[in-house]
Amino acid sequence: MKKHTLSALLIAALMSGSTLSFAQAKWPAITQQTKPWTRWWWMGSAVNDKDLTRLMEQYQKAGLGGVEITPIYGVKGEEKQFINFLSPKWMDALTHTLKEADRLGMGVDMAQASGWPFGGPWVTSADACKYVAYKTYNLKEGDKLKEAVTYTQEPLMRIIGEKIDIKKLVEPITKNPNLQLHAFDQVRFEKPLPLQALMAYSDKGQSLDLTTKVDAKGNLNWTAPAGSWTLYAVFEGWHGKMVERAGPGGEGDVIDHFSKKATQNYLARFDQAFKGYNLKSLRAFFNDSYEVDDANGESNWTPAMFEEFKKRRGYDLEANLPALFGKDSEDKNKRVLSDYRETISELLLENYTKTWSEWAKGKGKIIRNQAHGSPANILDLYAITDIPEIEGTDILRIKFASSAANVTGKKLTSSESATWDNEHFLSKLSDIKKDMDLFMLGGVNHTFYHGTNYSPQSAKWPGWLFYAAVHFNPNNSFWTDFSKLNQYVARSQSFLQAGKPNNDVLVYLPIYDSFTRKGKVLLQHFDGIDHGFKGLPVEKHAEKLWEKGYGFDFISDKQLLGVTAANKALQTGGNTYQTVFVPEAQYMPLATFQQLVKLAEAGANVVFAGSLPEDVPGLSSLDSRRATFKQAVSGLKFTDAGKGVQKATVGKGAFWVGKDADEVLASAGIKRESLVDNGLQFVRRSHAKGHYYFMANWGDKAVDGWVPIQTAAQSVALYDPMTEKLGMASVRTNNGVNEVYLQLAPGESCVLETFTNLVNGPAYTYAKPVGSKQDIKGTWDVSFISGGPTLPAKKQTEKLGSWTDLGGDDVKKFSGTADYTISFPMPDGNAEGWLLDLGKVAESAKIMLNGKEVGTLLGPTYQIFIPKSQFKGTNTLSVKVSNSMANRISDMDRNKEIWKKFYNINMSPRLKENRGDDGNFTAEKWDTKDSGLLGPVTLTPATTSAKAQ
């Protein structure tokens, strides 16, 4: 085993005449863009200039880089303050916000609906989302259809707020009073639906278009000729989906996302509203996910469907209605269904996403878009988006947005972060840090918290709140230490926004395998791997690639056609990859397979798990496409490459096929990052002189040792974005693999900056215990310094524990910050310093020793090294601990204090056990939550060294 330390490498470099750079590890600049932003809920848009300014100053002071304005439902009792969305008064509030943001150095984005999805009172029935309905009729030779070809839409109403009889409503829904009170989610009025087509199919394979033979009353003027005939009547229905969580002036129908005209008409309302206003400082328009189909039935039709289908697929959908509705042969059903879904995907891409993007660019703006949940290849939707945005806690879901950004060369991927981290009022800053780490590991580098409520100064605690957690508001008791989390995110993102993504593998997304799968409804909705690809081989292969430490991005058929190859390297979006990995795709378009052959001929390695694709999708020109595909496959000559892997030389490159993804990738020369075997997770980027690694340890065990990295690195700078400690790390080579010495407790993370040349500078110091723990003993003074409902009197205790056990009801219902202070002598030993360990803390802690700030700890590990120079003969330790909002809220709920006074969805619970009799969230049954410094607090003598021990 060959091992070389940094000092040996330095000597070797000097003797060989290699260049030795003298530099210092340095944090990138913190900018408005590297800081985290937040979604800013304007409840009822009941805002005023004074409170807008006050709150933005608080946000800026806490370290937020910007806000995304999302107008939303209102607060009961504040109706006189409501401002209609896009009204002149609302525009005045927007321009005031932009002016104040300029003054404070903050950014502003704007959601382009009051709620979501896109929709509002100006959306007409012609532009509203649609669905398809059908009826069948059976006739024999000589028969005439006796019943009318009609379809009456059944009435349907889904309401979030106060119930009302649908018979009392008028159409359109926006003409009804009390829209905030009722909060309509979906409304369908009883009425006849327009006929789209009437087709007749015989048992001999004939098809006839009878649409023009139906009169205005639905009577069919036609006599069945020879044979048995099945008639399919297709009708266009109004889906009835309303804008969710809409605020005043934003209630109404959701648009038809498949219609370009509907999108253009929707955006024209903004053209009108924006006239005469200075929106120069507005950065982006935002769409908060598709979510049309979280309703009764799905939106799956548009008036131009038949025309669009024929133009795109090359044949008539009307002639294949039995296959569309699953009544033909199994193979034909799959092919027509796949073609239909592909058409819907393209319409959503072109008529909505692209149209919206072009409109925004015409105003000098960009778009942020949550494409997940759409019935489309969301990689392509994200590719048109300037800043793709994701939400959720599944790493593969997160990677869909970042993959599209990376593959198309976009700098930023954003996230809706910590939407439902925990139940209301229970989320800790350490929980949120874990969420932030997960997003960053998934390739996100521009986080948005979900969210922050505008709440006027006059509102009683806890103020105005949105129904989802977490509550990133100044009223939250964790706000005292929120700036520490924001500093951490900003420091991390300053690296993750620099350089370029550095993943090796492009994972082909087998969308047609999903398009061909029959479901309970016509469409598939894609939300990462879990929704749309669940159970397909791509799921297990992607999970394994992540677990084994392969850096990868998903890529679509459309995006793959733009990839180029030079020798073994693949280029797309200005980024370089080593291979395309195809995860047991059954169906693949001929053009895609031909592109893979072309890339291999230019020198690329193309890796197939399991086997090559079996067939082409779709129905049009099937025989000719299939024959060309089969010919291309048969031209490949495979030989045994060992370990169950087969190889076929293709031009300068090769196709590799193997059952095990790890084995076949290794055979093709693709290296994994084995650091994951140490319990670490990572994301990697490249810069001009090396690489950046963001690493996190969310395992149960501390990492204290040598960690391998699969990149060339003669020197490595090490950064702790939480403590802001930095320096040149200890590095060595071990059997040709570069290794870095790391110390990461559970929940901790770091950034590595590697250099291909030797770099000298101040060293990163590692702390090593050299003695036993020493308890800090004595009497702790506990002073309650901020919070409520009242500040408890000062307490004293010799035994640490929850402050709720210190006596009296006031401490049991207190949420806020308490200062724990104790005096103690110089600790024993002659160490270089001591590791201060606070033990258990509920929830975050700011530490001061002898009047000097030591650091802020968010958890889950509450440990920090303090050098000997900061200690005295007699020392004063101050630990300011902030707990959660839980105890104060549960006391309010037990006392029936009214704080849940919101229209629409009035504080829904995350967990069913926290649902009250009224269906709303309640904390009245909660036990008192531990709060404060629970300890034990100890000091452990430690030595520091610039070299690993």
Side-chain angles (χ1 to χ4, degrees):
M1 183 178 292
K2 297 180 180 179
K3 297 180 180 180
H4 302 287
T5 62
L6 178 60
S7 57
L9 289 170
L10 291 173
I11 294 170
L14 291 170
M15 292 178 65
S16 65
S18 299
T19 301
L20 178 62
S21 300
F22 290 87
Q24 187 169 352
K26 183 180 180 181
W27 292 103
I30 298 298
T31 67
Q32 177 194 100
Q33 188 169 273
T34 60
K35 293 177 182 179
W37 291 31
T38 192
R39 180 165 301 169
W40 197 12
W41 303 112
W42 284 11
M43 303 198 78
S45 293
V47 300
N48 64 75
D49 289 356
K50 183 178 179 181
D51 280 318
L52 286 170
T53 295
R54 175 183 61 86
L55 290 169
M56 292 186 73
E57 289 175 347
Q58 288 182 292
Y59 304 158
Q60 191 254 13
K61 185 177 180 181
L64 294 175
V67 294
E68 168 223 299
I69 298 170
T70 299
I72 207 74
Y73 55 84
V75 180
K76 294 178 181 178
E78 302 293 335
E79 291 82 4
K80 291 183 179 180
Q81 310 303 320
F82 288 175
I83 303 174
N84 279 344
F85 182 49
L86 297 182
S87 67
K89 190 174 181 180
W90 194 93
M91 291 301 303
D92 289 340
L94 173 62
T95 52
H96 174 80
T97 300
L98 293 172
K99 181 180 177 181
E100 289 299 87
D102 281 345
R103 179 177 67 85
L104 296 169
M106 299 180 71
V108 179
D109 290 354
M110 170 187 160
Q112 213 159 348
S114 179
W116 62 89
F118 279 15
W122 61 93
V123 176
T124 65
S125 61
D127 289 341
C129 51
K130 309 293 194 299
Y131 72 96
V132 64
Y134 77 98
K135 281 184 176 180
T136 59
Y137 312 89
N138 294 306
L139 297 177
K140 294 181 180 179
E141 181 180 352
D143 288 348
K144 296 191 71 170
L145 187 62
K146 296 180 181 179
E147 63 179 290
V149 182
T150 59
Y151 192 108
T152 300
Q153 179 172 265
E154 294 292 328
L156 181 152
M157 185 172 61
R158 289 157 45 103
I159 289 182
I160 304 300
E162 186 174 295
K163 305 301 180 184
I164 187 174
D165 190 335
I166 194 171
K167 295 178 181 178
K168 295 181 179 180
L169 300 178
V170 297
E171 188 178 7
I173 198 69
T174 50
K175 287 188 175 181
N176 295 276
N178 301 317
L179 296 180
Q180 285 290 290
L181 178 65
H182 298 302
F184 296 105
D185 181 70
Q186 187 179 16
V187 180
R188 292 182 185 173
F189 290 96
E190 183 176 3
K191 56 184 177 180
L193 301 184
L195 178 69
Q196 296 290 284
L198 178 66
M199 296 295 299
Y201 306 93
S202 77
D203 55 353
K204 307 298 183 184
Q206 296 173 278
S207 64
L208 297 174
D209 188 347
L210 306 179
T211 310
T212 59
K213 298 182 181 298
V214 181
D215 66 19
K217 294 183 179 180
N219 298 313
L220 174 62
N221 182 23
W222 179 74
T223 301
S228 297
W229 295 82
T230 301
L231 278 58
Y232 277 74
V234 174
F235 303 87
E236 180 182 272
W238 288 273
H239 183 258
K241 177 65 177 177
M242 300 287 138
V243 179
E244 286 192 43
R245 320 304 179 211
E251 307 99 332
D253 280 290
V254 167
I255 66 167
D256 175 0
H257 286 74
F258 314 130
S259 166
K260 185 173 185 177
K261 183 179 179 181
T263 303
Q264 291 172 330
N265 289 344
Y266 180 78
L267 297 172
R269 175 68 182 92
F270 292 86
D271 291 328
Q272 179 186 14
F274 292 166
K275 285 180 180 178
Y277 290 92
N278 182 1
L279 303 184
K280 183 179 179 181
S281 299
L282 184 67
R283 182 187 70 159
F285 295 110
F286 172 66
N287 168 53
D288 186 4
S289 66
Y290 182 74
E291 296 192 37
V292 181
D293 298 332
D294 55 346
N296 190 306
E298 60 180 1
S299 174
N300 54 21
W301 199 256
T302 192
M305 173 57 76
F306 287 135
E307 177 186 344
E308 291 283 5
F309 187 95
K310 185 173 184 179
K311 179 174 68 175
R312 296 165 186 276
R313 305 282 79 83
Y315 66 96
D316 289 325
L317 181 59
E318 300 100 303
N320 294 276
L321 292 176
L324 175 63
F325 299 118
K327 306 300 183 181
D328 210 308
S329 67
E330 183 178 353
D331 184 65
K332 191 172 182 180
N333 290 345
K334 287 181 177 181
R335 294 184 179 281
V336 173
L337 182 63
S338 177
D339 283 339
Y340 161 78
R341 289 171 171 174
E342 184 177 9
T343 301
I344 285 285
S345 181
E346 290 175 355
L347 293 176
L348 188 53
L349 173 69
E350 298 169 20
N351 290 349
Y352 168 66
T353 314
K354 186 177 181 180
T355 300
W356 172 40
S357 176
E358 290 173 347
W359 175 88
K361 285 177 173 53
K363 295 196 168 344
K365 310 302 178 188
I366 60 176
I367 63 169
R368 273 177 44 238
N369 181 31
Q370 294 185 357
H372 50 273
S374 300
N377 191 329
I378 59 177
L379 292 179
D380 293 333
L381 303 187
Y382 278 134
I384 287 181
T385 303
D386 299 293
I387 305 178
E389 178 160 302
I390 195 66
E391 62 178 307
T393 56
D394 179 77
I395 192 68
L396 297 182
R397 186 187 204 216
I398 294 168
K399 285 183 72 65
F400 269 66
S402 63
S403 292
N406 294 344
V407 165
T408 57
K410 293 175 173 59
K411 184 177 181 180
L412 300 176
T413 302
S414 60
S415 60
E416 174 191 306
S417 310
T419 307
W420 282 103
D421 183 84
N422 203 329
E423 184 59 274
H424 290 285
F425 314 113
L426 295 182
S427 296
K428 301 176 287 187
L429 290 174
S430 60
D431 296 332
I432 300 164
K433 177 193 179 293
K434 186 174 183 179
D435 286 346
M436 298 303 104
D437 286 354
L438 182 67
F439 282 117
M440 290 188 286
L441 291 165
V444 168
N445 57 7
H446 186 36
T447 56
F448 281 72
Y449 298 123
H450 186 288
T452 300
N453 272 78
Y454 170 97
S455 189
Q457 195 165 20
S458 60
K460 291 179 59 178
W461 194 93
W464 297 357
L465 298 176
F466 188 65
Y467 76 92
V470 181
H471 306 295
F472 294 92
N473 303 311
N475 284 332
N476 196 322
S477 43
F478 71 35
W479 193 267
T480 53
D481 297 325
F482 185 42
S483 60
K484 187 65 177 180
L485 176 67
N486 294 332
Q487 170 214 284
Y488 166 79
V489 174
R491 286 295 187 204
S492 300
Q493 290 189 158
S494 68
F495 285 102
L496 296 176
Q497 289 181 12
K500 294 183 177 182
N502 187 246
N503 292 321
D504 293 325
V505 182
L506 288 167
V507 176
Y508 171 70
L509 188 68
I511 192 75
Y512 294 94
D513 286 0
S514 182
F515 279 168
T516 57
R517 285 205 300 185
K518 182 181 178 181
K520 294 180 180 179
V521 292
L522 280 176
L523 296 178
Q524 285 276 23
H525 294 81
F526 298 94
D527 232 346
I529 292 295
D530 269 355
H531 294 84
F533 299 96
K534 190 71 177 177
L536 290 176
V538 64
E539 179 186 23
K540 67 178 181 180
H541 287 302
E543 287 175 349
K544 185 168 185 179
L545 293 184
W546 173 255
E547 292 168 0
K548 298 293 287 187
Y550 289 99
F552 68 90
D553 286 318
F554 294 108
I555 190 167
S556 72
D557 293 88
K558 185 183 294 290
Q559 293 161 2
L560 191 57
L561 295 179
V563 175
T564 59
N567 296 321
K568 291 187 177 182
L570 298 168
Q571 298 286 333
T572 176
N575 299 313
T576 302
Y577 296 83
Q578 300 304 313
T579 190
V580 177
F581 176 78
V582 182
E584 294 186 60
Q586 181 180 359
Y587 294 96
M588 178 179 284
L590 176 60
T592 302
F593 192 80
Q594 290 172 331
Q595 170 70 348
L596 293 178
V597 172
K598 180 180 176 182
L599 293 174
E601 288 174 341
N605 284 306
V606 180
V607 173
F608 296 82
S611 61
L612 295 175
E614 298 175 14
D615 205 348
V616 293
L619 187 63
S620 181
S621 305
L622 177 58
D623 291 341
S624 62
R625 289 187 295 116
R626 180 181 278 162
T628 305
F629 175 80
K630 297 291 186 184
Q631 184 179 9
V633 171
S634 63
L636 300 170
K637 305 302 179 185
F638 285 94
T639 59
D640 187 359
K643 297 185 177 180
V645 176
Q646 299 287 312
K647 177 185 177 181
T649 300
V650 181
K652 298 178 181 178
F655 275 20
W656 303 76
V657 181
K659 184 177 181 181
D660 183 87
D662 195 19
E663 290 287 0
V664 70
L665 284 168
S667 296
I670 311 303
K671 296 181 179 180
R672 70 185 187 95
E673 289 281 5
S674 59
L675 60 89
V676 297
D677 300 339
N678 297 57
L680 297 174
Q681 294 173 310
F682 78 99
V683 65
R684 189 178 67 209
R685 296 179 70 85
S686 60
H687 60 86
K689 298 181 180 179
H691 294 85
Y692 299 123
Y693 285 80
F694 173 80
M695 294 186 188
N697 177 20
W698 282 100
D700 297 329
K701 298 179 180 179
V703 173
D704 190 349
W706 293 100
V707 173
I709 54 174
Q710 291 294 336
T711 54
Q714 295 202 55
S715 303
V716 178
L718 177 56
Y719 303 84
D720 185 332
M722 184 63 75
T723 65
E724 298 195 291
K725 180 182 175 182
L726 73 167
M728 301 306 296
S730 290
V731 297
R732 73 179 187 185
T733 57
N734 182 1
N735 286 338
V737 177
N738 295 306
E739 295 183 332
V740 183
Y741 200 88
L742 296 181
Q743 292 180 325
L744 290 174
E748 290 185 338
S749 47
C750 69
V751 173
L752 305 183
E753 182 179 16
T754 74
F755 301 91
T756 54
N757 60 315
L758 287 167
V759 175
N760 193 22
Y764 192 93
T765 55
Y766 301 89
K768 292 286 186 178
V770 292
S772 302
K773 290 182 179 180
Q774 304 170 33
D775 290 333
I776 293 182
K777 298 179 180 179
T779 300
W780 291 86
D781 292 327
V782 185
S783 301
F784 296 87
I785 57 178
S786 64
T790 59
L791 292 178
K794 182 177 179 180
K795 309 287 184 180
Q796 287 188 327
T797 183
E798 293 185 0
K799 183 179 180 181
L800 289 174
S802 174
W803 72 45
T804 59
D805 296 329
L806 292 178
D809 289 337
D810 53 354
V811 293
K812 289 182 171 61
K813 57 188 177 184
F814 178 75
S815 289
T817 303
D819 187 356
Y820 288 74
T821 305
I822 194 171
S823 295
F824 63 95
M826 188 76 177
D828 296 337
N830 190 27
E832 295 180 49
W834 282 265
L835 288 170
L836 173 66
D837 192 330
L838 300 181
K840 292 183 179 180
V841 177
E843 309 291 349
S844 59
K846 184 176 293 183
I847 304 166
M848 298 189 72
L849 180 65
N850 298 323
K852 183 177 180 181
E853 186 171 334
V854 174
T856 299
L857 304 179
L858 307 183
T861 301
Y862 297 89
Q863 181 176 282
I864 193 168
F865 176 80
I866 305 177
K868 184 177 181 179
S869 60
Q870 293 189 29
F871 288 86
K872 300 178 180 179
T874 300
N875 301 277
T876 300
L877 176 66
S878 168
V879 183
K880 293 181 173 64
V881 180
S882 300
N883 71 338
S884 72
M885 302 170 74
N887 289 341
R888 186 172 178 181
I889 284 290
S890 59
D891 178 71
M892 292 177 71
D893 281 349
R894 281 191 290 270
N895 289 305
K896 308 302 179 183
E897 293 185 46
I898 298 175
W899 62 270
K900 291 167 282 189
K901 50 184 180 179
F902 312 112
Y903 284 109
N904 204 287
I905 185 165
N906 194 17
M907 301 305 292
S908 60
R910 182 173 185 263
L911 303 173
K912 62 181 181 180
E913 56 264 32
N914 297 323
R915 183 178 292 116
D917 293 337
D918 60 0
N920 293 335
F921 164 84
T922 181
E924 61 184 322
K925 297 179 182 178
W926 284 0
D927 294 331
T928 302
K929 307 298 181 184
D930 285 346
S931 302
L933 182 61
L934 280 63
V937 179
T938 61
L939 289 167
T940 302
T943 184
T944 59
S945 172
K947 298 179 181 179
Q949 303 296 309

